[in-house]
Amino acid sequence: MSIRNALFLSRRPAAAFVVVGLFWGCFAAHVPVLKAQLGASDALFGLLLLGSATGLVSSMWLAPRADRWLGSRSMQVGAVCLGLAWLLPGVMTAPLLFALTMALVGLASGLLDVVMNARVSELEARHDRPLMNANHAMFSVAYAVAALVVSLTREAGVPPVLVFAGFSLCAFGMVPFIRMEVAEVPEEESGARRYPFWPILLCGAVVLVAFMSEATVEAWSALHVERTLGGGAAEGALGPAMLGLTMAFGRFSGQAVADRFREVPVVISASLISASGALIAAFAPTPAAAYLGFGILGLGVSVIGPMGLALVGKLVPAHLRTEAISRVAVIGFSGFFFAPMLMGILSELFGLRLAFAAVAVLLVTAVPLALLISRRLVPKAVGETPC
């Protein structure tokens, strides 16, 4: 299936992925500004991001109920809430208030993350086609575009709150296009099975590794370029922009890969490629070398998370799909917030170079996890070919 056809079939959730990508790209490129605005150390800033982790995890546990209640308007409500929530962190100067506002961001982002991934999984089942990579690629494109925009607004001295407000207007303008009817699947049609605990746990761990690695570059690459390598504000913002661009390319390529190759070999290869990129970025002597490392990391890590989410959608009964993706999202997407906290502590103790080297070690752990999924889970899935 072509990328164009994949995006046409999933155009409504793809628009939601764009909304989420715009805000997180804006945030990543503003990290040095927000950190200085708060007067926070590396460790403290990392801890403050636990506020968003708390909101995210809480929202993702509640998301299946909210989805059943809101139905076709779930993505619309999530996008509006996210646009409103992001108006707050950019004006905060007190660390505690910043953490509270990031908790609201986590709540809104969690709702939209779960619902849009569940909608893509529903469309994959309906059309019997892989769609997850193309949608996550749209997140990466939006993320990169937002980071590039912020590289210009930072050089011009535009306050973060005004930039976030601009992206909120963009998000509100997309709301009418992301309404999508929910497929009703009676429980009886899926047969009687035990609750899919192991698929959720192992797929969630794979997604966690991918998103923790991605999150460290998103939150700390600008600081690494500016502080460790002596780059300017625009050069720092290019760090997360490079990640977003290469992840977009990797995920669009992953759409074609998903049509031709089985998931586990791809996950193993991708984890090793991305680990090498993390090492290059860790020990880069110049910003240009760091960009190379971020780019290789982005290419590799880009397909790991989407494949983990797509796999759990195939391994569980249809009536449990949204709930299973929600649980995997609790495990995986929380990495976007726990990782920056851990990165801040490692940076405070050992410096950013060794902190990025630790990311390479983390990425390698996806290999045994993928092998466990291959050996224990995929052969048991009804109608699936063992990986």
Side-chain angles (χ1 to χ4, degrees):
M1 169 179 283
S2 70
I3 294 171
R4 180 183 298 178
N5 286 341
L7 290 175
F8 177 77
L9 290 175
S10 56
R11 56 194 178 278
R12 298 188 187 279
F17 275 87
V18 168
V19 170
V20 178
L22 287 175
F23 285 115
W24 287 112
C26 180
F27 170 75
H30 272 122
V31 162
V33 178
L34 296 174
K35 183 174 175 292
Q37 187 172 289
L38 295 167
S41 65
D42 288 357
L44 176 58
F45 188 73
L47 287 172
L48 293 177
L49 293 182
L50 279 178
S52 51
T54 302
L56 180 80
V57 172
S58 300
S59 177
M60 287 182 173
W61 281 106
L62 296 171
R65 293 182 179 180
D67 189 28
R68 287 192 293 269
W69 179 52
L70 295 170
S72 62
R73 296 189 179 277
S74 295
M75 288 192 293
Q76 292 179 306
V77 172
V80 171
C81 291
L82 189 60
L84 293 174
W86 272 116
L87 295 175
L88 300 174
V91 298
M92 295 300 159
T93 56
L96 180 58
L97 292 177
F98 176 80
L100 291 174
T101 59
M102 288 302 292
L104 294 176
V105 167
L107 279 167
S109 187
L111 172 62
L112 189 52
D113 272 323
V114 169
V115 174
M116 68 191 189
N117 278 286
R119 294 293 180 272
V120 174
S121 189
E122 290 173 10
L123 290 169
E124 285 187 324
R126 183 187 309 169
H127 299 286
D128 193 26
R129 293 290 187 273
L131 303 170
M132 196 68 76
N133 274 292
N135 280 265
H136 281 258
M138 293 307 296
F139 167 90
S140 299
V141 169
Y143 177 94
V145 169
L148 288 172
V149 169
V150 172
S151 71
L152 300 176
T153 59
R154 282 186 59 191
E155 285 290 334
V158 180
V161 63
L162 295 181
V163 184
F164 279 115
F167 284 120
S168 293
L169 291 176
C170 293
F172 298 154
M174 298 176 71
V175 166
F177 302 100
I178 59 177
R179 180 173 180 174
M180 178 177 165
E181 297 298 328
V182 185
E184 295 291 339
V185 181
E187 184 172 347
E188 291 75 19
E189 291 184 12
S190 301
R193 289 199 222 171
R194 291 187 300 174
Y195 190 78
F197 174 76
W198 284 107
I200 291 172
L201 184 62
L202 290 178
C203 291
V206 169
V207 177
L208 176 66
V209 168
F211 290 167
M212 283 188 71
S213 305
E214 182 181 340
T216 56
V217 182
E218 289 181 358
W220 294 94
S221 58
L223 277 173
H224 184 47
V225 170
E226 293 178 33
R227 189 172 68 190
T228 309
L229 303 176
E235 289 177 299
L238 283 176
M242 178 62 70
L243 176 75
L245 289 170
T246 55
M247 287 190 69
F249 178 80
R251 283 170 173 168
F252 281 131
S253 302
Q255 182 63 41
V257 168
D259 280 327
R260 294 171 174 80
F261 300 97
R262 287 175 264 183
E263 290 91 347
V264 169
V266 174
V267 169
I268 291 173
S269 301
S271 66
L272 296 176
I273 291 171
S274 53
S276 67
L279 288 175
I280 292 173
F283 300 107
T286 63
Y291 299 150
L292 175 64
F294 296 146
I296 294 173
L297 190 155
L299 283 174
V301 81
S302 61
V303 300
I304 300 175
M307 284 192 169
L309 287 164
L311 187 57
V312 77
K314 297 175 182 177
L315 290 176
V316 302
H319 71 280
L320 290 175
R321 188 178 292 121
T322 299
E323 182 177 346
I325 288 177
S326 174
R327 303 299 184 253
V328 169
V330 169
I331 300 170
F333 281 96
S334 62
F336 276 110
F337 307 103
F338 291 117
M341 176 200 68
L342 296 174
M343 192 74 166
I345 294 173
L346 288 174
S347 174
E348 191 83 9
L349 295 175
F350 306 109
L352 278 171
R353 289 192 183 276
L354 287 181
F356 273 104
V359 175
V361 177
L362 173 66
L363 283 161
V364 173
T365 64
V367 174
L369 290 169
L371 292 174
L372 281 173
I373 293 173
S374 176
R375 293 176 59 187
R376 300 185 182 186
L377 298 177
V378 177
K380 298 179 182 180
V382 176
E384 289 291 318
T385 301
C387 290

